């Protein structure tokens, strides 16, 4: 599938779908030192070539904000206490106009645990966390993450077209997901 970057926006943070983890799993917030777990998870889903690159990125992106990460970065643990999924209820400026919104950032579920009904509860926890700090949220993704895009649509995120290629990407998503996504007004 063609790789096209996409953006999605949720105009409010009310009526967040609520999903609970299956038995044997738990969600917790980041603790200092968890960057190793973050790097391992994100590398396992091919976001980085290796854990060293992931750790370098983490340090650059979040290193000065580890105190804030203790309130915004989430991990799913299995029954053995192993970190197997993560996302961050972060913040940013989608349009570059200075308006800060909540941001779903770096969603990753270790491949061995994909399909075990962990992503929706993790997303619920992240969205609930965002709602504590923000009135709306956005995320960035790509056409190759079509399964995640389907979940994001079900969580009330809508396409936010910023680049000329976005419409092509959303048409691909309509075909792949077999659902109407783009609305014409």
């Amino acid at each position: 599938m063609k790789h096209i970057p996409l953006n999605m926006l949720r105009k409010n943070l009310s009526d967040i779908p609520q999903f609970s983890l299956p038995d044997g799993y738990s969600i917790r917030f980041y603790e200092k030192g968890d960057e190793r777990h973050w790097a391992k998870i994100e590398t396992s889903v091919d976001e980085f070539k290796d854990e060293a690159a992931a750790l370098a990125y983490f340090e650059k992106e979040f290193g000065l904000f580890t105190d804030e990460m203790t309130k915004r970065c989430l991990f799913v643990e299995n029954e053995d206490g192993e970190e197997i999924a993560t996302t961050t209820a972060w913040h940013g400026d989608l349009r570059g106009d200075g308006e800060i919104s909540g941001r779903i950032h770096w969603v990753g579920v270790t491949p061995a645990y994909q399909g075990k009904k962990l992503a929706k509860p993790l997303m619920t926890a992240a969205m609930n966390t965002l709602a504590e700090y923000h009135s709306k949220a956005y995320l960035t993704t790509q056409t190759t993450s079509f399964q995640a895009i389907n979940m994001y649509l079900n969580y009330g995120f809508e396409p936010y077209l910023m680049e000329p290629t976005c419409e092509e990407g959303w048409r691909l998503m309509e075909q792949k997901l077999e659902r109407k996504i783009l609305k014409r007004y």
Side-chain angles (χ1 to χ4, degrees):
M1 175 176 290
K2 187 173 182 180
H3 181 278
I4 300 173
L6 299 171
N7 300 293
M8 300 181 80
L9 180 67
R10 193 173 200 271
K11 296 175 185 171
N12 67 65
L13 292 173
S14 60
D15 300 319
I16 297 166
Q18 299 296 305
F19 290 91
S20 300
L21 286 168
D23 290 341
Y25 298 93
S26 60
I27 293 180
R28 68 167 178 84
F29 283 103
Y30 170 92
E31 298 170 0
K32 291 186 179 173
D34 277 335
E35 53 273 11
R36 297 180 332 273
H37 304 303
W38 185 91
K40 182 179 180 182
I41 294 165
E42 293 299 340
T43 301
S44 79
V45 295
D46 297 327
E47 290 292 345
F48 297 94
K49 66 177 179 156
D50 57 37
E51 289 181 35
L55 282 168
Y57 181 89
F58 185 97
E59 181 60 31
K60 178 182 164 212
E61 180 87 356
F62 303 117
L64 296 176
F65 307 103
T66 54
D67 286 341
E68 194 170 358
M69 291 290 278
T70 63
K71 299 174 194 143
R72 290 181 174 264
C73 182
L74 299 138
F75 288 92
V76 174
E77 293 181 334
N78 65 16
E79 57 193 11
D80 297 323
E82 177 188 3
E83 294 77 7
I84 56 169
T86 187
T87 193
T88 304
W90 203 235
H91 48 78
D93 179 2
L94 175 62
R95 295 182 295 250
D97 61 3
E99 182 182 2
I100 301 299
S101 299
R103 179 179 187 185
I104 295 295
H105 202 24
W106 292 103
V107 179
V109 178
T110 304
Y113 289 89
Q114 291 174 5
K116 296 191 182 294
K117 302 194 181 299
L118 303 176
K120 287 179 184 176
L122 180 60
M123 187 72 168
T124 292
M127 295 293 292
N128 290 340
T129 300
L130 282 181
E132 294 178 29
Y133 302 102
H134 307 282
S135 60
K136 61 184 171 183
Y138 76 96
L139 58 85
T140 60
T141 187
Q142 56 282 327
T143 51
T144 52
S145 296
F146 58 89
Q147 291 169 313
I149 288 171
N150 199 47
M151 179 181 68
Y152 302 147
L153 290 165
N154 292 337
Y155 268 84
F157 283 89
E158 299 176 349
Y160 187 76
L161 283 68
M162 295 180 65
E163 304 292 331
T165 58
C166 290
E167 190 163 347
E168 177 189 1
W170 287 112
R171 294 282 175 226
L172 282 171
M173 292 300 89
E174 286 182 331
Q175 291 171 359
K176 182 69 177 174
L177 299 174
E178 298 179 353
R179 67 187 280 185
K180 183 73 174 152
I181 298 170
L182 291 176
K183 299 173 185 163
R184 297 282 181 202
Y185 299 98

